[in-house]
Amino acid sequence: MMLYFNVLAAVVWAYVHIATWQWKVVVWPPPILPAMTTPLLFYVWLLLEPIRLLLGYVGNLSERVAWLMPFWVLTIFPQLLVHIYFVFIQDLIAWVVLPIEQVMSVAFIVLYLFELGVGYVGELLGVTVGLSYANP
């Protein structure tokens, strides 16, 4: 269920990020550092998020750890780090950060941490249940 909400949130976040970026560039000319890093990190996120969600969806349906492990790795790096950049670091490099950007990225950080926590507990339960069935 979290993956379903993550897909919807990703589409909304991508649209809002593109719209706010275009508006901010017109109103406030960006310094060179945010002008290079922000679009680069957004495109990395945009490229890897569908792959990450697909790995999580297929791994969840087939209950295969081989599909869920790349989902976990892509959740931690770079997706979580990209949103940490948009919440904390973009503000430190002295450019305008709108509250809507921070709120949406914090929501993604919470969602990612929740996915990681549920996945970790699920793996622990799966391993213990699997071991109890393996040794009758």
Side-chain angles (χ1 to χ4, degrees), residues 3-22:
L3 287 175
Y4 174 75
F5 290 123
N6 199 338
V7 169
L8 297 176
V11 171
V12 170
W13 186 82
Y15 175 74
V16 169
H17 183 78
I18 290 170
T20 57
W21 173 259
Q22 289 177 345

Side-chain angles (χ1 to χ4, degrees), residues 14-128:
Y15 175 74
V16 169
H17 183 78
I18 290 170
T20 57
W21 173 259
Q22 289 177 345
W23 180 74
K24 286 189 331 183
V25 168
V26 170
V27 175
W28 299 287
I32 190 71
L33 187 61
M36 292 175 60
T37 56
T38 301
L40 176 71
L41 289 174
F42 174 72
Y43 290 130
V44 166
W45 177 87
L46 191 64
L47 176 71
L48 293 178
E49 185 69 6
I51 296 168
R52 184 187 80 84
L53 293 173
L54 180 68
L55 287 170
Y57 182 74
V58 170
N60 219 3
L61 287 180
S62 62
E63 297 180 1
R64 306 229 14 218
V65 176
W67 287 85
L68 290 174
M69 214 52 196
F71 169 77
W72 244 57
V73 170
L74 286 176
T75 300
I76 296 170
F77 177 82
Q79 304 305 68
L80 188 61
L81 297 178
V82 166
H83 286 288
I84 288 173
Y85 166 81
F86 284 123
V87 171
F88 300 111
I89 300 171
Q90 189 177 13
D91 198 20
L92 294 175
I93 58 176
W95 197 43
V96 178
V97 178
L98 300 175
I100 185 83
E101 293 175 303
Q102 287 184 327
V103 167
M104 291 188 73
S105 287
V106 165
F108 259 100
I109 290 172
V110 169
L111 185 63
Y112 288 157
L113 293 176
F114 194 64
E115 285 175 357
L116 288 172
V118 168
Y120 184 71
V121 170
E123 283 299 315
L124 286 179
L125 291 176
V127 168
T128 57

